[in-house]
Amino acid sequence: MKDVILELARIAQAVSGNEDPRQQAVTIVELISESMMVDVCSLYMAEEDGDMLLLASHGLSSSAVGRTRLPQGKGLVGLVAQSRHPINTDNAQQHSAYLYLAETHEERFQSFCGVPLVRRGRVIGVLVVQGRQSRQISQQEEAFLVTLASQLSLLLDGVSVAIAQPRNSNVRRTGVKGSSGVGIGSVLLCGGTELYGVADCPCADSELTIERWHQLLAQVRSDIETQQRTLDPEFSSSIAAVFEAYQLLLSDKALIDSVEQQIRQGHDLPSALKRSIQQLSDLFLSMDDPYLRARHEDIQHLGNKLYSAWLGEDLRNTTVDGPVVLVGAQVGIAEIAQVPAEQLMGIICYEGSSLSHTAVVAKAMGIPAVLGVGALRGINGGETIIVDGNQGQVILRPSASLVAEFGKLVNDDNELLSQLANLRDLPAQTTDGEVIRLFTNTGLLADIAPGVRHGAEGVGLYRTEIPFMVYDNFPSEDEQVSTYRKILDAYPDKPVCMRTLDIGGDKQLPYFPIANEENPALGWRGIRFCLDNVQLLMTQVRAMLRAAQGKNNLRILLPMVSASEELDSFRELLLDACQQLWQEGYQVSQPRLGVMVEVPATISQLERWSTQIDFVSIGSNDLSQYLLALDRNNARVAQRYDPVHPSVLAEIKRVVDIAQRCDLPLSVCGEMASDPVAVVLLLGMGVKTLSLSAPRLPRIKCLLRSLSAADAQTLWYEIAELDRAQQIRNRVGDFLRGKGLEALCR
Amino acid sequence: MKDVILELARIAQAVSGNEDPRQQAVTIVELISESMMVDVCSLYMAEEDGDMLLLASHGLSSSAVGRTRLPQGKGLVGLVAQSRHPINTDNAQQHSAYLYLAETHEERFQSFCGVPLVRRGRVIGVLVVQGRQSRQISQQEEAFLVTLASQLSLLLDGVSVAIAQPRNSNVRRTGVKGSSGVGIGSVLLCGGTELYGVADCPCADSELTIERWHQLLAQVRSDIETQQRTLDPEFSSSIAAVFEAYQLLLSDKALIDSVEQQIRQGHDLPSALKRSIQQLSDLFLSMDDPYLRARHEDIQHLGNKLYSAWLGEDLRNTTVDGPVVLVGAQVGIAEIAQVPAEQLMGIICYEGSSLSHTAVVAKAMGIPAVLGVGALRGINGGETIIVDGNQGQVILRPSASLVAEFGKLVNDDNELLSQLANLRDLPAQTTDGEVIRLFTNTGLLADIAPGVRHGAEGVGLYRTEIPFMVYDNFPSEDEQVSTYRKILDAYPDKPVCMRTLDIGGDKQLPYFPIANEENPALGWRGIRFCLDNVQLLMTQVRAMLRAAQGKNNLRILLPMVSASEELDSFRELLLDACQQLWQEGYQVSQPRLGVMVEVPATISQLERWSTQIDFVSIGSNDLSQYLLALDRNNARVAQRYDPVHPSVLAEIKRVVDIAQRCDLPLSVCGEMASDPVAVVLLLGMGVKTLSLSAPRLPRIKCLLRSLSAADAQTLWYEIAELDRAQQIRNRVGDFLRGKGLEALCR
């Protein structure tokens, strides 16, 4: 018997060379019949109506392939699909479910073993082997087939989709959400000048080529400097560090020497560059740490940039007409900066993760972005494409009706936003007079202006790790003072909740990689990391206190607190920091202190802690993740994640009740705070403060001003009886539609 | 400025060649002073009393190194340590904290920048750079030094320990807990004949060598067959599959051909074997999936085994005297089987994880095992070693007093266990008449006999994934029927709770690797996996129902349920399976159905589900892990994990109350059920059923028979006021000591 993993690897490799799903199916049945030494191997796939189509067969009559269909539930194949378990018999004809189909000529085969192909709980097909001799397929062979089928269904999902969706337009590709929003535009390909495609060429004069190499470096350095200067000042301070990283790479002796060495070994400049960049990129790719691994994109992009410059081409020589979507293996920050902001509708990267610099910048600019969609082969510059950053998908070759549909979405949104602008200075007051405070979440300095512009009444969550992420080292106390002062100054007399450094989990610092954690979400992060590296926390707290000197608006928020010991340790440290600064002559005052409610263990301790803290903030993303034991970034389970799950709502209500009883101000700062369905329920539970990203503020304010708190409360008691997230979404959706508020809810 | 990550890599590489901590310190200060271009770089390390010892310096007088000490809190260095933040000044002498130490001759240096070295929240040292010119160290240099220091403290932890603990005996090495218990014995080195040490040698006659290769294969195959036959029958059925894996590898055409090819290319048999094994091992090591990756050990072990056979050596030719601990890079199952069970006190592997076959087998045999301790260089066969499987540590060269101490532990334990044997048929009844039911947890068929022998009143948790793990493919329905029937037969008329396949997380099947999950504990596992691969669940449920035909003791337990949809889907499937089997003529009956309470979201839904389920079982390990958002297998945070955390206890009490109110039988089946402190508290909360591993049963029964439920309840109300796990442990520990029960509590 073959090893099933090796067999699967063999099949996966064989089908990878072919993009036609029917051809892939043929390859699969040929390989299986060969390795299992059976007379027949057939693949049946479910059509939309449940009929089973004989898609490919080794052994059955070729005239039946692609034509023969078994009606739902009929025949042995239908029984396998319906019962969801293998059928293994040494005499198929005598089985009660046997159905004779003349065109297959299967009467020659007595033994039959069929196993279901299942994907996401649904039977998508049946894999059958048959044999001439009346000998039963052995238990071992059946087990092998079941195991093979369990993995094959992953491979065959594409075949299944292709059969259900044969047309070539409206092709959807799923990736990672990089930045929310929807955009439509014509494709502008980036990095068309791919360094990796360069052929090896010998070099005639190595000294001259090395000289040319240094000229090229100088030219690109100066190009980047120019770009740095011409950046939109609103987000320049955040992005400067990224450009700085390119400049550092361009000055890296390792890269410079490596290219020189390749040239001395006889390569011309492009092939020397290709080889050196590849080596450097491989080095990063081999690193365990996901953040460092993601940095290989920067290296490759830089390589392409150097090559473009060598070719004398550059994006800025391309004229950009109308709305544009940047598409490429990677899309560099320099390329983003070259397209006028009002024309840039979206960004699509074949590679990359939500940690890529591209994603960080797209979020800061409010441009929809989807990353990691895989290579979009055959895509042409100029064709229309849709980027749906909300769903993390892109739509290739959209039909006119789909373009119109998404176009309407975009237009309605824009129109709505311009209408909402006049709410800026009005309170988020419900129709029955309840006033909800709307704070904003920020992290990049670039977020400050939009927050103020959209009327935020303070900062509910300032993520201090984001400025840490763009540095090359831990920022010094003075550097942090200057950063924090900017945000405190932008919100005079309004509260600014600064969360202490919350790295770990999915947030990594390039200069402090926390690698090799099996479950980083349950690992060394938040306050745990900071108390173990207490010197970093001390510097940060000192910087916060110094920045807040003479102001009254600093609040400190602690992430991932789960035990009294942690809270006590932090309070001691805070007092120590104050005393140090008083001794040094600073006039600092003790800020209000709050904890994030995100670790479930926090809930039952809140009452006990209420005398030691001044406020709480529910981090609904992490709280839902831990309560449901579901990583929403994991595509295999993400569809099961919904924060309006009845248990998540019940636990949040528990927190709201404790906070009310203990007189602790409470806010909600996760994505629930900008999800209209969740906002209605939070209002119904008695939540009085929400903190959300600036672009979502006007919409949520308008929603709150259109609702009555009493109605929301009634609705909350009603849905507390429902036991499925989808039922809850439907019920609240009906409620909002009943009030004519559907436009606010997209 | 240098890149901090590259600089760290350079330092780590430079010190890795030297095992003397003082020499390492010298290397570190030399490299830093060179890369930062400063006149002085010094490393001060904290001694036990808090004084700071000048351990190494580039630039200060060499006569001061290793001698100069700064009393705690004194001088700039003391201030850095005390305040836990950097001090950076351009004129050290004028700083109020400056303390002049003549022997260092540091009066020549004006600028001073000192940063604390912190490990697990404690200052372990101070790193200082100083400069001749009165120019302040720049902000960038300070930031670089802070970042370097944050990572250096990981490297310097060993130096710190070495300074505090200079003597060479009682050296502790920490690894992974493979199997619990403590053992003392003399080292028996395994795999001393290391294939990897073989030098490349040419081969004189390739045809003859190939013939010898096939003879060697045949010989080793037959050796293994002999060992298979002579295995202790109690655990043979579980281990047979592992031997089977070796036999499969020995018949693997890829391996056989690869060695032949190496021989044809001119290598002699050992070097041909070495090269082929290395290739195959590298192939496994490159796999993403942790389970498959762990399989490279099997390959290497097999290579060593083949080489041993070629040398004509084998462990069975060694006479084993007295108690023995097997020690080696890997310890193979064949080697374990060669040592008489009564002499085998423990197993230590340099490599390996808790998923290694060695760990599975050690657990089944009840032999203490610690894996992944790293190479124990300089260890000699015959020297005494202590294996502490409870703490996951080994102690090299233990002092006589430590041997005596651990020896007493072992003896007391053995004596206690023999005393407890007479409790076998008595109930676990408290002194005030409360009867607690004690079930056992099992998975390997080898666990059945010990469970029955120790008087288990049923199986509280049968982990069906363990039999799945030893197969090469998903076991067929008939194979599963036969396995399940054995366990149901072993407990006639006693409940057997079979948990449906719970793979994913840290449990992987070799033939269905779930790779590339960022957070597997929050991923595709338990019921989520099974409902997506519903055909596997259908086969398993059919097999359980068929195995239970004519019996009344099957119960089905669902893992990781977090939503009503999941419970509904399973109940539909169960009904479908019954109907299918009735139609096929089987006389099966619907079993009782329960859910694990391990996902926190389950708790608030239990009341709603109580009409659809028949019982619940608290999986305290996973429940604690999710409530605390702490992966207890992660060494960076494991010390923060304790299931007697006040919040975990509060949530368990919540579950107990709901279950009582809804009349749902409840058991606790995680490690809390065998932790005496937790057991007292569970008794106090009103838990009536515990399920634990068989070897722990007698101890817990004796404990329960020594307690009064009323006392436990009083204690529970008292500790519910405490807010730290350690306080709770201390309080319950006092209570148990007060009753003279400390011997039961180890």
Side-chain angles (χ1 to χ4, degrees):
Chain A
M1 182 71 65
K2 292 255 177 183
D3 181 280
V4 74
I5 296 287
L6 296 180
E7 181 66 14
L8 275 162
R10 205 165 70 104
I11 292 174
Q13 192 175 16
V15 303
S16 71
N18 201 310
E19 289 200 27
D20 174 9
R22 279 164 205 268
Q23 276 306 315
Q24 291 184 339
V26 169
T27 308
I28 289 169
V29 296
E30 290 301 335
L31 287 173
I32 295 176
S33 63
E34 178 194 314
S35 75
M36 290 187 70
M37 295 182 288
V38 287
D39 300 317
V40 177
C41 177
S42 311
L43 182 61
Y44 296 82
M45 294 300 285
E47 294 184 311
E48 264 186 36
D49 55 5
D51 287 0
M52 284 286 169
L53 171 70
L54 177 61
L55 186 69
S57 180
H58 167 96
L60 294 189
S61 168
S62 64
S63 62
V65 171
R67 292 202 188 82
T68 291
R69 279 181 177 76
L70 278 156
Q72 186 165 23
K74 293 293 173 194
L76 287 169
V77 167
L79 184 59
V80 169
Q82 198 164 52
S83 68
R84 299 172 286 180
H85 78 89
I87 289 180
N88 186 354
T89 170
D90 55 357
N91 199 328
Q93 277 93 333
Q94 292 190 351
H95 195 287
S96 59
Y98 183 71
L99 186 73
Y100 179 58
L101 295 169
E103 71 269 29
T104 63
H105 299 297
E106 64 178 327
E107 63 277 11
R108 296 166 291 164
F109 309 109
Q110 281 94 50
S111 62
F112 172 102
C113 181
V115 300
L117 293 158
V118 174
R119 182 90 173 105
R120 293 201 187 281
R122 211 173 52 81
V123 176
I124 60 166
V126 173
L127 183 66
V128 174
V129 298
Q130 291 175 273
R132 230 176 262 276
Q133 285 90 20
S134 172
R135 64 119 183 154
Q136 192 158 359
I137 313 284
S138 75
Q139 287 287 314
Q140 282 67 38
E141 286 169 308
E142 178 188 322
F144 177 81
L145 206 62
V146 166
T147 309
L148 200 60
S150 68
Q151 297 262 17
L152 259 188
S153 52
L154 300 173
L155 206 62
L156 284 167
D157 202 31
V159 176
S160 164
V161 168
I163 288 167
Q165 192 188 61
R167 282 166 36 69
N168 205 17
S169 65
N170 292 344
V171 174
R172 282 162 203 263
R173 288 287 284 271
T174 306
V176 181
K177 295 175 195 174
S179 168
S180 62
V182 172
I184 309 172
S186 37
V187 169
L188 181 59
L189 289 171
C190 302
T193 49
E194 277 287 324
L195 179 62
Y196 277 26
V198 164
D200 277 340
C201 270
C203 132
D205 181 338
S206 64
E207 285 316 309
L208 200 70
T209 310
I210 288 172
E211 201 176 304
R212 177 78 189 89
W213 165 227
H214 285 275
Q215 285 165 1
L216 184 66
L217 279 168
Q219 179 194 337
V220 172
R221 267 187 225 130
S222 121
D223 283 0
I224 291 182
E225 272 165 33
T226 312
Q227 288 170 15
Q228 280 176 295
R229 278 196 301 273
T230 57
L231 265 175
D232 183 343
E234 184 167 302
F235 58 95
S236 62
S237 51
S238 329
I239 299 179
V242 179
F243 275 115
E244 200 56 45
Y246 282 138
Q247 294 286 32
L248 276 174
L249 277 170
L250 285 170
S251 317
D252 184 0
K253 211 169 141 24
L255 173 67
I256 299 174
D257 290 356
S258 161
V259 173
E260 281 190 18
Q261 202 186 336
Q262 294 286 351
I263 294 170
R264 288 222 171 76
Q265 284 169 9
H267 295 280
D268 74 342
L269 183 47
S271 46
L273 187 61
K274 179 187 71 175
R275 287 159 164 268
S276 299
I277 290 286
Q278 193 138 26
Q279 276 171 11
L280 209 58
S281 163
D282 286 351
L283 185 72
F284 275 87
L285 260 179
S286 71
M287 291 181 184
D288 282 331
D289 175 65
Y291 190 92
L292 286 179
R293 214 158 46 221
R295 296 287 77 73
H296 83 275
E297 298 165 28
D298 295 345
I299 309 283
Q300 290 179 3
H301 176 70
L302 188 75
N304 288 338
K305 176 145 200 78
L306 285 162
Y307 181 51
S308 293
W310 185 84
L311 288 172
E313 296 172 13
D314 213 332
L315 203 59
R316 91 198 89 154
N317 301 328
T318 321
T319 43
V320 177
D321 282 329
V324 153
V325 173
L326 286 171
V327 179
Q330 298 119 22
V331 175
I333 286 139
E335 287 160 324
I336 295 172
Q338 297 306 323
V339 179
E342 64 280 9
Q343 281 174 260
L344 185 53
M345 297 297 126
I347 299 167
I348 299 171
C349 299
Y350 304 163
E351 302 168 8
S353 64
S354 55
L355 294 170
S356 304
H357 276 149
T358 308
V360 172
V361 172
K363 269 185 208 145
M365 296 178 68
I367 298 168
V370 177
L371 288 82
V373 294
L376 302 179
R377 290 184 207 158
I379 195 172
N380 296 312
E383 68 176 60
T384 301
I385 198 162
I386 298 177
V387 191
D388 182 353
N390 303 327
Q391 305 291 329
Q393 64 173 3
V394 305
I395 303 167
L396 281 71
R397 298 179 285 280
S399 62
S401 64
L402 207 65
V403 169
E405 199 179 306
F406 273 88
K408 191 167 171 333
L409 273 182
V410 174
N411 285 336
D412 288 358
D413 269 11
N414 290 340
E415 202 173 312
L416 181 68
L417 285 180
S418 67
Q419 283 169 16
L420 295 178
N422 55 20
L423 298 180
R424 186 191 177 286
D425 296 316
L426 297 175
Q429 186 168 25
T430 61
T431 56
D432 51 353
E434 190 80 66
V435 177
I436 307 299
R437 295 176 81 188
L438 293 184
F439 290 166
T440 187
N441 299 339
T442 136
L444 286 165
L445 288 175
D447 292 357
I448 298 179
V452 174
R453 196 167 63 231
H454 288 116
E457 299 166 66
V459 175
L461 175 62
Y462 176 67
R463 299 186 172 95
T464 58
E465 56 280 5
I466 298 184
F468 275 74
M469 285 163 93
V470 295
Y471 278 91
D472 294 318
N473 289 298
F474 285 108
S476 70
E477 189 173 307
D478 287 349
E479 284 169 324
Q480 291 185 53
V481 169
S482 130
T483 306
Y484 302 154
R485 197 172 276 152
K486 282 187 191 123
I487 177 103
L488 291 167
D489 281 343
Y491 290 89
D493 300 317
K494 288 176 178 161
V496 174
C497 301
M498 294 198 173
R499 187 170 66 185
T500 58
L501 188 62
D502 187 20
I503 64 159
D506 56 351
K507 287 170 289 190
Q508 297 270 341
L509 298 178
Y511 45 87
F512 198 110
I514 303 173
N516 293 323
E517 291 200 311
E518 197 69 35
N519 290 291
L522 308 174
W524 209 33
R525 51 177 302 196
I527 197 77
R528 297 167 193 167
F529 174 87
C530 280
L531 289 175
D532 279 351
N533 293 281
V534 68
Q535 79 285 15
L536 304 175
L537 186 61
M538 178 57 89
T539 297
Q540 181 172 47
V541 169
R542 285 174 50 102
M544 287 178 179
L545 294 172
R546 283 179 50 199
Q549 222 187 165
K551 305 181 182 77
N552 60 353
N553 57 343
L554 168 67
R555 298 181 180 187
I556 293 182
L557 185 54
L558 305 179
M560 293 292 292
V561 176
S562 63
S564 296
E565 293 90 322
E566 292 162 342
L567 187 56
D568 291 349
S569 299
F570 182 81
R571 292 175 69 227
E572 281 164 29
L573 179 135
L574 179 60
L575 189 62
D576 188 5
C578 286
Q579 282 167 342
Q580 287 179 16
L581 291 168
W582 290 330
Q583 277 182 7
E584 293 169 31
Y586 291 99
Q587 304 289 322
V588 302
S589 50
Q590 279 223 48
R592 293 201 197 166
L593 180 63
V595 298
M596 298 285 296
V597 180
E598 51 193 347
V599 179
T602 310
I603 302 174
S604 62
Q605 294 178 95
L606 269 187
E607 190 153 0
R608 197 172 270 162
W609 293 349
S610 63
T611 55
Q612 296 159 56
I613 55 175
D614 304 299
F615 65 100
V616 292
S617 182
I618 296 180
S620 66
N621 300 355
D622 270 330
L623 182 63
S624 310
Q625 160 165 294
Y626 297 132
L627 284 172
L628 299 172
L630 258 180
D631 179 355
R632 64 195 188 131
N633 294 319
N634 181 339
R636 293 198 185 96
V637 294
Q639 80 286 359
R640 297 176 184 269
Y641 176 90
D642 192 334
V644 304
H645 184 290
S647 297
V648 176
L649 296 175
E651 299 293 336
I652 290 179
K653 174 65 174 157
R654 205 175 144 207
V655 178
V656 171
D657 289 347
I658 296 170
Q660 256 164 17
R661 200 163 58 235
C662 303
D663 224 8
L664 270 179
L666 171 144
S667 69
V668 173
C669 74
E671 279 179 23
M672 284 179 92
S674 56
D675 169 355
V677 167
V679 166
V680 175
L681 297 172
L682 293 172
L683 177 65
M685 289 181 204
V687 171
K688 301 276 186 283
T689 308
L690 300 174
S691 187
L692 55 160
S693 67
R696 300 287 298 176
L697 258 173
R699 209 179 278 263
I700 296 300
K701 186 185 278 187
C702 181
L703 175 71
L704 288 166
R705 289 176 58 86
S706 317
L707 294 174
S708 110
D711 283 357
Q713 193 180 28
T714 310
L715 184 65
W716 159 252
Y717 284 117
E718 196 184 310
I719 72 95
E721 299 300 309
L722 301 178
D723 71 343
R724 292 165 182 235
Q726 196 52 57
Q727 292 171 341
I728 294 172
R729 282 215 174 269
N730 294 345
R731 180 66 194 89
V732 181
D734 289 347
F735 170 85
L736 288 168
R737 262 187 301 280
K739 303 217 171 280
L741 296 171
E742 56 269 45
L744 288 171
C745 300
R746 274 192 301 268
Chain B
M1 184 70 65
K2 291 256 176 182
D3 181 280
V4 74
I5 295 287
L6 296 180
E7 181 65 14
L8 276 162
R10 204 165 72 102
I11 292 175
Q13 192 174 15
V15 302
S16 71
N18 201 310
E19 290 201 26
D20 175 9
R22 279 163 206 268
Q23 276 306 315
Q24 291 184 339
V26 170
T27 308
I28 289 170
V29 297
E30 291 300 335
L31 287 174
I32 295 175
S33 62
E34 178 194 316
S35 75
M36 289 186 70
M37 294 182 290
V38 287
D39 300 316
V40 178
C41 177
S42 311
L43 182 61
Y44 295 82
M45 294 299 285
E47 294 186 309
E48 265 186 35
D49 54 6
D51 287 359
M52 284 287 170
L53 171 71
L54 176 61
L55 186 69
S57 180
H58 167 96
L60 294 189
S61 168
S62 64
S63 62
V65 170
R67 291 202 188 83
T68 292
R69 278 178 180 76
L70 279 157
Q72 185 166 21
K74 294 291 171 193
L76 287 168
V77 167
L79 183 60
V80 169
Q82 198 163 52
S83 69
R84 299 171 287 180
H85 78 89
I87 290 181
N88 186 355
T89 168
D90 55 357
N91 198 328
Q93 277 93 332
Q94 293 190 351
H95 196 287
S96 59
Y98 182 72
L99 185 74
Y100 177 60
L101 297 169
E103 71 270 27
T104 62
H105 300 297
E106 64 178 329
E107 64 276 11
R108 294 166 292 163
F109 309 108
Q110 282 94 49
S111 63
F112 172 102
C113 182
V115 301
L117 293 157
V118 175
R119 182 90 172 104
R120 294 201 187 284
R122 211 173 54 80
V123 177
I124 60 168
V126 173
L127 184 65
V128 174
V129 298
Q130 292 174 272
R132 230 176 262 275
Q133 285 89 20
S134 171
R135 65 120 183 154
Q136 192 158 1
I137 313 284
S138 75
Q139 288 287 313
Q140 282 68 37
E141 285 169 307
E142 179 189 322
F144 178 81
L145 206 62
V146 166
T147 309
L148 199 62
S150 69
Q151 298 262 16
L152 260 189
S153 53
L154 300 173
L155 206 62
L156 284 167
D157 202 30
V159 175
S160 164
V161 168
I163 287 166
Q165 192 187 61
R167 283 167 35 69
N168 204 17
S169 65
N170 292 345
V171 174
R172 283 161 202 263
R173 288 286 284 269
T174 306
V176 181
K177 296 175 196 176
S179 168
S180 62
V182 172
I184 309 172
S186 40
V187 170
L188 182 60
L189 288 171
C190 303
T193 48
E194 278 287 325
L195 179 61
Y196 277 27
V198 164
D200 278 340
C201 270
C203 133
D205 180 339
S206 64
E207 285 316 310
L208 199 70
T209 310
I210 288 173
E211 202 177 304
R212 178 77 191 91
W213 165 227
H214 285 275
Q215 285 165 0
L216 183 67
L217 279 169
Q219 179 195 337
V220 173
R221 269 188 222 127
S222 119
D223 282 1
I224 291 182
E225 273 165 32
T226 313
Q227 287 170 16
Q228 280 175 298
R229 279 197 300 275
T230 57
L231 265 177
D232 182 343
E234 184 168 300
F235 59 94
S236 62
S237 51
S238 328
I239 300 179
V242 179
F243 275 115
E244 201 55 45
Y246 282 137
Q247 294 286 31
L248 275 174
L249 278 171
L250 286 170
S251 316
D252 184 0
K253 212 167 141 28
L255 174 66
I256 299 173
D257 290 356
S258 161
V259 173
E260 280 189 19
Q261 203 186 334
Q262 295 285 352
I263 295 170
R264 288 223 170 75
Q265 285 170 8
H267 294 281
D268 75 342
L269 184 46
S271 48
L273 186 61
K274 179 188 71 172
R275 286 158 164 267
S276 299
I277 291 286
Q278 194 139 25
Q279 276 171 11
L280 209 58
S281 162
D282 286 350
L283 185 71
F284 275 87
L285 259 180
S286 72
M287 293 181 183
D288 281 331
D289 174 66
Y291 189 93
L292 286 178
R293 214 157 46 219
R295 294 286 77 72
H296 83 275
E297 298 165 28
D298 295 345
I299 310 282
Q300 290 180 3
H301 177 69
L302 189 74
N304 288 339
K305 176 147 200 77
L306 284 161
Y307 180 53
S308 294
W310 185 84
L311 289 172
E313 295 172 14
D314 212 333
L315 203 59
R316 89 198 89 153
N317 301 327
T318 321
T319 42
V320 177
D321 282 330
V324 153
V325 173
L326 286 171
V327 179
Q330 298 119 23
V331 175
I333 286 139
E335 287 160 326
I336 295 172
Q338 296 306 323
V339 179
E342 64 280 9
Q343 281 174 259
L344 184 53
M345 297 298 125
I347 299 169
I348 299 170
C349 299
Y350 305 162
E351 302 168 8
S353 64
S354 56
L355 293 169
S356 304
H357 276 151
T358 308
V360 173
V361 172
K363 268 184 208 144
M365 296 178 67
I367 298 168
V370 177
L371 288 82
V373 294
L376 303 179
R377 290 185 207 157
I379 196 173
N380 296 312
E383 67 176 61
T384 302
I385 198 163
I386 298 177
V387 190
D388 182 352
N390 302 327
Q391 305 291 329
Q393 65 173 1
V394 304
I395 303 166
L396 281 72
R397 297 180 284 282
S399 62
S401 63
L402 207 64
V403 169
E405 197 180 306
F406 273 90
K408 189 166 174 334
L409 273 182
V410 174
N411 285 337
D412 288 357
D413 269 11
N414 289 341
E415 203 172 312
L416 180 68
L417 285 180
S418 66
Q419 283 169 18
L420 295 179
N422 56 19
L423 299 179
R424 185 190 179 287
D425 296 316
L426 297 175
Q429 187 169 24
T430 61
T431 55
D432 51 353
E434 190 79 66
V435 177
I436 307 300
R437 296 176 80 188
L438 293 184
F439 290 166
T440 187
N441 299 338
T442 137
L444 287 165
L445 288 175
D447 293 356
I448 297 178
V452 173
R453 197 167 62 230
H454 288 115
E457 299 166 67
V459 175
L461 175 62
Y462 176 66
R463 300 186 171 94
T464 58
E465 57 279 5
I466 298 184
F468 275 73
M469 283 164 94
V470 295
Y471 278 92
D472 294 317
N473 289 300
F474 285 107
S476 71
E477 188 173 308
D478 288 349
E479 285 169 324
Q480 290 185 52
V481 169
S482 130
T483 305
Y484 302 154
R485 196 173 277 152
K486 282 187 190 122
I487 177 102
L488 291 167
D489 282 343
Y491 289 89
D493 299 318
K494 288 175 178 162
V496 175
C497 300
M498 294 197 173
R499 187 170 66 184
T500 57
L501 188 62
D502 186 20
I503 64 159
D506 55 352
K507 287 170 289 191
Q508 297 271 341
L509 298 178
Y511 45 87
F512 197 110
I514 303 174
N516 293 323
E517 292 199 313
E518 197 69 36
N519 289 291
L522 307 174
W524 209 33
R525 51 177 303 196
I527 197 77
R528 298 169 192 165
F529 173 87
C530 280
L531 288 175
D532 279 351
N533 293 281
V534 69
Q535 80 285 13
L536 305 174
L537 186 61
M538 177 57 89
T539 296
Q540 181 173 46
V541 169
R542 284 174 51 101
M544 287 179 179
L545 295 172
R546 282 179 51 198
Q549 223 188 162
K551 304 182 182 78
N552 61 352
N553 57 344
L554 169 67
R555 297 180 180 189
I556 294 182
L557 185 55
L558 305 179
M560 293 292 292
V561 177
S562 62
S564 297
E565 293 90 321
E566 292 163 343
L567 186 56
D568 291 348
S569 300
F570 183 80
R571 292 175 70 227
E572 281 164 28
L573 179 136
L574 179 60
L575 189 63
D576 188 5
C578 287
Q579 281 167 343
Q580 288 179 17
L581 290 168
W582 291 329
Q583 276 182 8
E584 293 168 32
Y586 292 100
Q587 304 288 321
V588 302
S589 50
Q590 280 223 47
R592 295 202 195 164
L593 180 62
V595 298
M596 299 284 296
V597 180
E598 51 193 347
V599 179
T602 309
I603 303 174
S604 62
Q605 295 176 95
L606 268 187
E607 189 152 1
R608 196 173 270 160
W609 293 347
S610 63
T611 55
Q612 296 160 57
I613 55 176
D614 304 299
F615 65 100
V616 292
S617 182
I618 296 180
S620 65
N621 301 355
D622 270 332
L623 182 62
S624 310
Q625 160 164 293
Y626 297 133
L627 284 173
L628 298 173
L630 258 180
D631 179 355
R632 64 196 187 129
N633 294 319
N634 180 339
R636 293 198 185 95
V637 294
Q639 80 284 0
R640 297 175 184 270
Y641 175 90
D642 192 333
V644 305
H645 184 290
S647 297
V648 176
L649 295 175
E651 298 294 335
I652 290 180
K653 174 65 173 157
R654 204 175 145 207
V655 178
V656 171
D657 290 346
I658 297 170
Q660 257 163 17
R661 199 164 59 236
C662 303
D663 224 8
L664 269 180
L666 171 143
S667 69
V668 173
C669 74
E671 278 178 24
M672 283 179 91
S674 56
D675 169 354
V677 167
V679 166
V680 175
L681 297 173
L682 293 171
L683 177 66
M685 288 182 206
V687 171
K688 301 275 186 283
T689 308
L690 301 174
S691 188
L692 54 161
S693 66
R696 299 288 297 176
L697 258 173
R699 210 179 277 262
I700 296 300
K701 186 185 279 187
C702 181
L703 175 71
L704 289 166
R705 290 176 58 86
S706 316
L707 294 174
S708 111
D711 284 356
Q713 194 180 28
T714 309
L715 184 65
W716 159 251
Y717 284 117
E718 197 184 310
I719 73 95
E721 299 300 311
L722 301 178
D723 71 343
R724 293 166 183 234
Q726 195 52 56
Q727 292 171 342
I728 295 172
R729 283 214 174 269
N730 293 345
R731 180 66 194 89
V732 180
D734 289 345
F735 170 85
L736 289 168
R737 261 187 302 280
K739 302 217 172 281
L741 296 171
E742 56 270 45
L744 288 171
C745 299
R746 275 192 300 267

